[in-house]
Amino acid sequence: AGTTMTVSIPRSTTRADTPELDDLQRARDQYQAAFEEAFDAVYIMDDDARILKANPATAELYGRDAAELRGRSITEFLPDEYDPEAVKEFLKQPNTEPGEVTIITDDGTEREIEISSAANIVPGQHLVIARDVTERVEQKRALKQTTQRLQAVVDTCPDPIIALDAEGMIRLWNDAAEDLFGYQRESVIGNSIRSLDLH
């Protein structure tokens, strides 16, 4: 009526039998730990800029649970001035230099992030690393505004203002100094004060 055959397949193999498998498992575990524990946001996206996998830092950055981010396009978090097609092309560029991008989280908060990517870590999947630099950008903006205000005060001051560094090189020369000493700002900045005839 037929032949009956019994095949026995072991449920597990001994470690000594599969050193390559052990190495592969160890590498996978190390990758997973690095991915999950990274302080920076690390996520993988497809060619359509949809998030395939995200670590906890990504969830914190975007204000969403990592599972809720899966399948969403990164373009949903960008202001209108960003071209979605340009974003997709950026992802496909190999080893991009870090650049700053504005994102809008689900609660409407704007954040500045520094972003870099590595294209095609596997075909059609791109690794992105992002760091929240909002505080740094705001500090730079505040410093620039303060510098501009101080420059305006210096430029409009009726008294000559000259600033020197430790070596006696001129770093600041206002309009009143130009009027009094006859030297234009462009001709003295970076030169030694001793090189000028200020009598």
Side-chain angles (χ1 to χ4, degrees):
T3 303
T4 302
M5 182 181 287
T6 302
V7 179
S8 176
I9 301 173
R11 292 183 180 273
S12 63
T13 57
T14 62
R15 285 186 160 279
D17 291 340
T18 58
E20 296 87 3
L21 188 60
D22 287 346
D23 290 345
L24 190 59
Q25 180 70 34
R26 193 168 23 260
R28 187 188 74 85
D29 292 344
Q30 289 169 343
Y31 155 77
Q32 188 66 28
F35 184 84
E36 294 294 330
E37 300 300 324
F39 290 115
D40 290 334
V42 182
Y43 43 105
I44 297 170
M45 293 195 290
D46 64 15
D47 285 337
D48 291 322
R50 294 195 178 280
I51 299 171
L52 303 175
K53 185 173 177 125
N55 71 345
T58 304
E60 185 177 337
L61 178 64
Y62 285 90
R64 276 286 191 174
D65 184 82
E68 294 174 327
L69 286 172
R70 198 172 300 121
R72 292 185 67 178
S73 173
I74 198 72
T75 58
E76 295 176 37
F77 298 96
L78 299 176
D80 293 337
E81 64 260 25
Y82 288 96
D83 176 13
E85 293 307 313
V87 172
K88 293 174 188 177
E89 286 307 311
F90 171 84
L91 290 175
K92 297 173 188 175
Q93 301 304 313
N95 302 319
T96 58
E97 292 293 322
E100 288 181 7
V101 176
T102 302
I103 62 168
I104 303 173
T105 63
D106 274 352
D107 66 1
T109 303
E110 281 196 12
R111 290 184 175 172
E112 299 293 329
I113 63 171
E114 185 177 75
I115 190 169
S116 59
S117 69
N120 294 309
I121 54 168
V122 295
Q125 295 186 13
H126 318 290
L127 178 69
V128 177
I129 300 174
R131 174 176 294 169
D132 189 347
V133 293
T134 305
E135 188 174 327
R136 184 179 78 193
V137 169
E138 288 174 351
Q139 287 172 347
K140 282 170 62 176
R141 190 178 296 133
L143 180 60
K144 183 177 180 181
Q145 290 172 346
T146 301
T147 302
Q148 289 172 338
R149 284 196 294 269
L150 288 174
Q151 187 65 48
V153 169
V154 168
D155 287 342
T156 58
C157 181
D159 297 320
I161 298 177
I162 302 169
L164 309 175
D165 64 16
E167 284 76 40
M169 308 301 279
I170 300 168
R171 298 297 172 210
L172 181 68
W173 187 272
N174 72 346
D175 293 345
E178 286 186 357
D179 295 339
L180 180 65
F181 299 114
Y183 292 100
Q184 296 298 305
R185 179 182 294 124
E186 295 77 16
S187 66
V188 297
I189 295 293
N191 293 325
S192 170
I193 191 71
R194 299 179 189 89
S195 67
L196 304 182
D197 181 8
L198 302 181
H199 294 86

